[in-house]
Amino acid sequence: MAAQESANYVVSPPLDDDGGVVFVPGLGGRTKFVDRWNEPGREHVVRRAVWSEPMNVPPVDSRGAALASLVDRSGAADVVLVGHSMGALVCLEAAARLDGRVRGVVVMCQYPPHRTPVSPLAELPDRALAAELDAPAHIADTAALAEYARLWRSEYRLLNRYLESDPRPTLNAPIVAVGAKGDASSWSSENLDEWHFYTTKRLSVHMVAGGHQMVEELPSETLREWLSTFSG
């Protein structure tokens, strides 16, 4: 347990008291594509939040608390949280703890908790799970698969536990909910509309082309257009 307690988010570039935009990935934690969103002259800088011990898997609400604690320690008084998939739920939990310090939250490819079905993937054997997740060959075809499969199952079990706990955090910040037309986790705009239960402010819903990993191809201009709705 001691190792798990020491794990935390690492935000790069680090947050300062000017605040900024923080991107939180979902299962797998890919963030390299964020570099495309930070072309020279772009404001605000989009920062990556990466879990410091990827083979250590805490619950969703614990990750939200850890992210909120990081923002607290930075002194940032004005942040926007952007979350993809399970990262969107982490942002929800973090924003609920930060309250007035969050200017807005963007949730991508994630239905609200009460509309997200419990996942059966946690019970699949290693290779079937790797196939469902389209795992790269350097993982799926090596001895490392067993350890990665353990991690994936742990993540899905914790996600299921979070969904079954019927959480209802409510934010005092606007939400932008983004769905992908080819994504089973977000294709229904009607389900995305129910993010309004989680905010006392405005909700806007946007649908884009692509599947669950559409975030990796998302143009900077599109993201910044959504972020601009949090101004003023």
Side-chain angles (χ1 to χ4, degrees):
M1 285 297 293
Q4 190 171 37
E5 290 172 0
S6 67
N8 211 320
Y9 277 105
V10 176
V11 172
S12 177
L15 271 171
D16 53 32
D17 56 11
D18 288 335
V21 180
V22 179
F23 173 77
V24 183
L27 180 67
R30 293 192 294 246
T31 60
K32 180 64 177 173
F33 58 89
V34 172
D35 291 346
R36 288 190 297 100
W37 296 344
N38 289 321
E39 298 161 358
R42 292 286 193 178
E43 294 289 345
H44 295 282
V45 173
V46 183
R47 294 164 163 83
R48 313 179 193 189
V50 179
W51 192 249
S52 63
E53 296 183 23
M55 303 308 281
N56 215 338
V57 186
V60 171
D61 53 349
S62 296
R63 295 188 208 199
L67 182 59
S69 177
L70 183 151
V71 173
D72 256 338
R73 293 194 305 273
S74 76
D78 183 21
V79 295
V80 173
L81 301 179
V82 180
H84 174 250
S85 192
M86 186 173 65
L89 302 177
V90 172
C91 288
L92 176 67
E93 289 291 328
R97 290 167 170 81
L98 291 166
D99 198 21
R101 301 173 70 175
V102 174
R103 183 155 41 96
V105 178
V106 180
V107 295
M108 300 183 186
C109 295
Q110 178 64 57
Y111 287 143
H114 71 283
R115 281 295 188 185
T116 303
V118 170
S119 174
L121 297 183
E123 308 310 318
L124 291 180
D126 293 1
R127 290 199 172 277
L129 180 55
E132 283 289 336
L133 297 178
D134 196 22
H138 73 271
I139 293 175
D141 297 338
T142 68
L145 175 59
E147 183 63 10
Y148 275 95
R150 180 198 67 79
L151 169 69
W152 297 330
R153 283 193 202 90
S154 296
E155 294 237 343
Y156 277 113
R157 284 173 182 146
L158 287 169
L159 175 60
N160 287 346
R161 192 179 306 162
Y162 177 80
L163 297 172
E164 290 171 335
S165 69
D166 196 25
R168 294 291 183 271
T170 302
L171 309 186
N172 293 313
I175 295 176
V176 170
V178 180
K181 296 173 184 176
D183 173 35
S185 301
S186 64
W187 68 267
S188 168
S189 60
E190 290 185 5
N191 284 353
L192 292 173
D193 282 338
E194 295 191 16
W195 272 107
H196 79 266
F197 291 124
Y198 297 81
T199 178
T200 62
K201 305 296 184 181
R202 69 184 182 276
L203 167 71
S204 56
V205 174
H206 303 270
M207 298 300 298
V208 299
H212 194 65
Q213 297 302 331
M214 67 84 187
V215 65
E216 299 188 21
E217 304 299 327
L218 186 70
S220 175
E221 293 76 9
T222 303
L223 174 64
R224 292 177 185 282
E225 181 179 337
W226 298 332
L227 296 178
S228 71
T229 66
F230 299 141
S231 300

